[in-house]
């Protein structure tokens, strides 16, 4: 499985697309509407409802800059949880 995390309007064929909201500019809805939320200590309160190690690749474009600095390590940890050992994580951070 390839996960497109926080896909926005880039809902891609051949990927499992996840976003918190539907984008009116997307060609279709993502496979999963889910918002990762955090506890006050920065830990993940609402993990992605997918099993550990389910993804060969996870792409996260333009999302890290939307979480607080103390939440970012837990978000990356959630991506690691979803990736298989040796899986590929692709992150783009334009405003970091």
């Amino acid at each position: 499985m390839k996960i497109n995390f926080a896909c926005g309007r880039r809902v891609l064929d051949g990927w499992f697309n996840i976003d918190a909201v539907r984008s009116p500019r997307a060609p279709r809805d993502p496979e999963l509407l889910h918002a990762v939320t955090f506890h006050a200590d920065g830990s993940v309160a609402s993990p992605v409802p997918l099993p550990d190690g389910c993804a060969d690749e996870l792409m996260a474009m333009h999302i890290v800059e939307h979480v607080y600095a103390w939440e970012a390590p837990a978000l990356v940890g959630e991506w690691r949880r979803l990736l298989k050992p040796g899986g590929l994580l692709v992150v783009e951070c334009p405003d970091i």
Side-chain angles (χ1 to χ4, degrees):
M1 170 188 292
K2 297 190 305 184
I3 296 175
N4 182 12
F5 189 88
C7 62
R9 64 182 179 192
R10 294 176 314 272
V11 178
L12 305 174
D13 292 334
W15 292 73
F16 188 86
N17 300 278
I18 302 172
D19 207 321
V21 296
R22 292 178 176 91
S23 171
R25 294 179 165 177
R28 61 181 172 80
D29 288 344
E31 282 72 23
L32 177 63
L33 289 173
H34 179 78
V36 174
T37 58
F38 301 89
H39 295 291
D41 67 359
S43 63
V44 172
S46 59
V48 175
L50 292 173
D52 296 357
C54 65
D56 298 297
E57 185 173 347
L58 190 146
M59 178 171 58
M61 302 293 191
H62 300 242
I63 184 62
V64 172
E65 69 272 17
H66 294 283
V67 301
Y68 291 109
W70 59 87
E71 296 169 339
L75 181 60
V76 173
E78 178 66 359
W79 297 338
R80 183 177 184 200
R81 179 189 71 78
L82 292 168
L83 282 168
K84 293 178 181 175
L88 177 65
L89 176 61
V90 178
V91 178
E92 183 174 290
C93 307
D95 297 323
I96 215 155

